[in-house]
Amino acid sequence: MNRILLESAEVGADGRVTLKDRQAAHVLQVLKSRPGDGVRIGVIDGLRGSAQVTSIEPGAVQLSCTLDTPPLPSTRTTLLLALPRPKVLHRLWAPLASLGLDRIILTGAAKVERQYFETHWLTPEAYHPLLIEGLEQSGDTRLPEVTLCRRFKPFIEDEADTCFAGATRLVCHPYAEKPLAAVLPAHGHPVVIAIGPEGGWTDYEIGLLQEHGFACASFGERTLRTDTAVQAILGAVLAR
Amino acid sequence: MNRILLESAEVGADGRVTLKDRQAAHVLQVLKSRPGDGVRIGVIDGLRGSAQVTSIEPGAVQLSCTLDTPPLPSTRTTLLLALPRPKVLHRLWAPLASLGLDRIILTGAAKVERQYFETHWLTPEAYHPLLIEGLEQSGDTRLPEVTLCRRFKPFIEDEADTCFAGATRLVCHPYAEKPLAAVLPAHGHPVVIAIGPEGGWTDYEIGLLQEHGFACASFGERTLRTDTAVQAILGAVLAR
């Protein structure tokens, strides 16, 4: 945990906060802080800052916070991801938040199994703590916006053009002629990157994405597991 | 498993192979192959190719192999990684092989805990099957070369210049001025990328790397978990 994140309602008008449970335990047992020590804090979807430990009681740590720094700059990157298996989805939430995505759109596809949509890892109560864990790791405060679009075709046909207006749209496809590096726009320009399911997008899905402004790009001939593919491809996109 | 990998000694002079155990189970239960069906095969550190199922007996599958395709082109990429925690090392072996690294050099560093070197995940018997799993996923046949250099200083001082002759040498450092994308060489040019431990390289280590030709590059301000950092940074390097 590189930054302790608070809900805005937890911070008093005078900047005082009482940490309990997991966060108090982190300050006491991992940071081993004492009164007077500093810790990094932030407000979810708000400012970053620092805090001083003012007092320590059993199970509770009092902080005095100074929140004066905006969130990290937006990466202007949206991930459009064919819903992976529940185990993989679970593993990906924290890394996706830590990488600083603006938006995560999970979609159905021909090769996405129907029962994947029944996982509790798609409920905000389950994934919100994992997104927070990712932000506490990265030091940022801004949560990615998460959307579930179960039906791929109507989403791409009816919403993609509005939803992705002004963004460079890319879809990773192993047989694409152009390498990913050749189609990435300059740093700061918004990007939507579509990553398919295990087994890939169908030709129909690729065609539909192309009709709606997505350019095909290759990340090489190696077939990667979804979690490796997502982190490696996002690495290439975020380093633009 | 996108390609079944064999030891060269397993393939008879006439191209016949008998699969057993895990590989036979994959052909029978996952691929559900029948006599006459084709499967993708390859020889570890050798040719890729295809095979036809010639007969199926309980627990054994006979194949007739045609090995006629060279391994995938080398990525010409070496990872110099400060040894991560055993759990993370375990998780990384297969993804590192699947990404197509040429070499993986694991090294000590000031912030690498000594007991990490005692893990059995550093023994070839433990990691070799995980590297094979990564290649079976990616479809390649070439194993990365793995080296353990426990002592960072003598390795960098005495061996790095010879070991990395002709390669662009980069070290990821959050406070570097230049972004990674600005210092990556062209596709095909060899690269060594150094990634530090949780908590980062010390100033001394960064200085030593710089004295031996490593340029500092930033992957952004977010602090990433080692496994996310490795996969994302390698994604950026491999997409060059």
Side-chain angles (χ1 to χ4, degrees), chain B residues 104-116:
Chain B
I104 301 164
I105 303 173
L106 295 162
T107 177
K111 291 177 190 163
V112 170
E113 294 188 27
R114 282 191 185 190
Q115 73 264 27
Y116 293 178

Side-chain angles (χ1 to χ4, degrees), chain A residues 43-59:
Chain A
V43 167
I44 296 168
D45 282 326
L47 295 172
R48 296 180 292 157
S50 58
Q52 197 178 44
V53 176
T54 52
S55 76
I56 292 173
E57 291 154 41

Side-chain angles (χ1 to χ4, degrees), chain A residues 2 72-73 75 95 98-100 133 137-138 140 181 219 221-225 227-228 231-232 235-236 238-240, chain B residues 2 48 72-73 75 95 98-100 133 137-138 140 181 219 221-225 227-228 231-232 235-236 238-240:
Chain A
N2 293 301
L72 285 168
T75 61
S98 72
L99 287 164
E133 184 188 315
Q137 165 67 41
S138 73
D140 197 10
F219 187 72
E221 288 182 73
R222 290 172 175 83
T223 308
L224 302 173
R225 258 182 18 196
D227 44 355
T228 299
Q231 292 176 85
L238 294 169
R240 74 186 180 276
Chain B
N2 292 301
R48 296 179 292 157
L72 285 169
T75 61
S98 71
L99 286 165
E133 185 188 314
Q137 165 67 39
S138 72
D140 197 9
F219 188 72
E221 290 183 73
R222 291 171 175 83
T223 308
L224 302 173
R225 257 180 23 194
D227 45 354
T228 299
Q231 293 176 87
L238 294 169
R240 73 186 180 277

Side-chain angles (χ1 to χ4, degrees), chain B residues 18-86:
Chain B
T18 306
L19 299 183
K20 292 188 177 171
D21 305 329
R22 182 182 68 101
Q23 295 182 325
H26 179 78
V27 171
L28 297 173
Q29 288 154 32
V30 180
L31 302 179
K32 300 184 198 299
S33 303
R34 297 182 167 204
D37 287 352
V39 296
R40 279 182 288 190
I41 51 126
V43 168
I44 295 167
D45 282 327
L47 296 171
R48 296 179 292 157
S50 58
Q52 196 177 44
V53 176
T54 53
S55 76
I56 292 173
E57 291 153 44
V61 174
Q62 298 275 352
L63 300 180
S64 173
C65 303
T66 306
L67 291 156
D68 53 7
T69 311
L72 285 169
S74 161
T75 61
R76 310 201 74 184
T77 301
T78 295
L79 171 65
L80 174 64
L81 179 65
L83 185 65
R85 282 181 295 132

Side-chain angles (χ1 to χ4, degrees), chain B residues 109-132:
Chain B
K111 291 177 190 163
V112 170
E113 294 188 27
R114 282 191 185 190
Q115 73 264 27
Y116 293 178
F117 286 93
E118 287 154 29
T119 176
H120 81 290
W121 294 118
L122 275 179
T123 62
E125 307 78 62
Y127 67 69
H128 187 265
L130 300 171
L131 295 178
I132 297 293

Side-chain angles (χ1 to χ4, degrees), chain B residues 78-84 88-89 92 96 101 103-109 112 117 147-149 152 192-198 201 226-227 229-230 234:
Chain B
T78 295
L79 171 65
L80 174 64
L81 179 65
L83 185 65
V88 176
L89 179 65
L92 276 174
L96 292 181
L101 294 176
R103 278 195 293 183
I104 301 164
I105 303 173
L106 295 162
T107 177
V112 170
F117 286 93
T147 316
L148 180 64
C149 296
F152 179 78
V192 182
I193 180 91
I195 301 179
E198 309 257 343
W201 300 107
T226 298
D227 45 354
V230 166
L234 285 175

Side-chain angles (χ1 to χ4, degrees), chain A residues 8-214:
Chain A
S8 60
E10 289 181 87
V11 188
D14 56 358
R16 295 199 174 271
V17 168
T18 304
L19 300 182
K20 292 189 177 170
D21 305 330
R22 181 181 70 100
Q23 294 182 325
H26 179 78
V27 171
L28 297 173
Q29 288 153 30
V30 180
L31 302 180
K32 300 184 197 299
S33 304
R34 297 180 167 206
D37 288 351
V39 296
R40 279 182 288 191
I41 51 126
V43 167
I44 296 168
D45 282 326
L47 295 172
R48 296 180 292 157
S50 58
Q52 197 178 44
V53 176
T54 52
S55 76
I56 292 173
E57 291 154 41
V61 174
Q62 297 276 351
L63 301 180
S64 173
C65 304
T66 306
L67 291 156
D68 52 8
T69 311
L72 285 168
S74 161
T75 61
R76 310 201 75 183
T77 302
T78 295
L79 171 65
L80 174 64
L81 179 65
L83 184 66
R85 282 180 294 133
K87 195 173 83 170
V88 176
L89 178 66
H90 172 206
R91 274 204 301 256
L92 276 174
W93 283 120
L96 292 181
S98 72
L99 287 164
L101 294 176
D102 276 3
R103 279 195 291 184
I104 302 165
I105 303 173
L106 295 162
T107 175
K111 291 179 190 162
V112 169
E113 295 188 26
R114 283 191 186 190
Q115 74 265 26
Y116 293 178
F117 285 94
E118 286 154 30
T119 176
H120 81 291
W121 295 118
L122 275 178
T123 62
E125 307 79 61
Y127 68 69
H128 187 266
L130 299 171
L131 295 178
I132 297 293
E133 184 188 315
L135 294 179
E136 287 176 335
Q137 165 67 41
S138 73
D140 197 10
T141 58
R142 191 155 25 194
L143 281 169
E145 186 188 316
V146 176
T147 315
L148 180 64
C149 296
R150 185 164 179 160
R151 296 176 63 219
F152 179 78
K153 184 169 180 274
F155 172 67
I156 299 298
E157 285 184 337
D158 304 336
E159 298 185 48
D161 291 314
T162 311
C163 195
F164 305 143
T168 297
R169 306 168 202 180
L170 303 172
V171 54
C172 273
H173 189 50
Y175 305 115
E177 281 178 27
K178 289 195 177 168
L180 183 56
V183 292
L184 283 172
H187 181 75
H189 186 86
V191 169
V192 182
I193 179 89
I195 301 179
E198 309 258 342
W201 300 108
T202 62
D203 290 344
Y204 173 79
E205 287 162 346
I206 289 284
L208 198 63
L209 287 164
Q210 286 178 313
E211 279 171 34
H212 292 273
F214 282 78

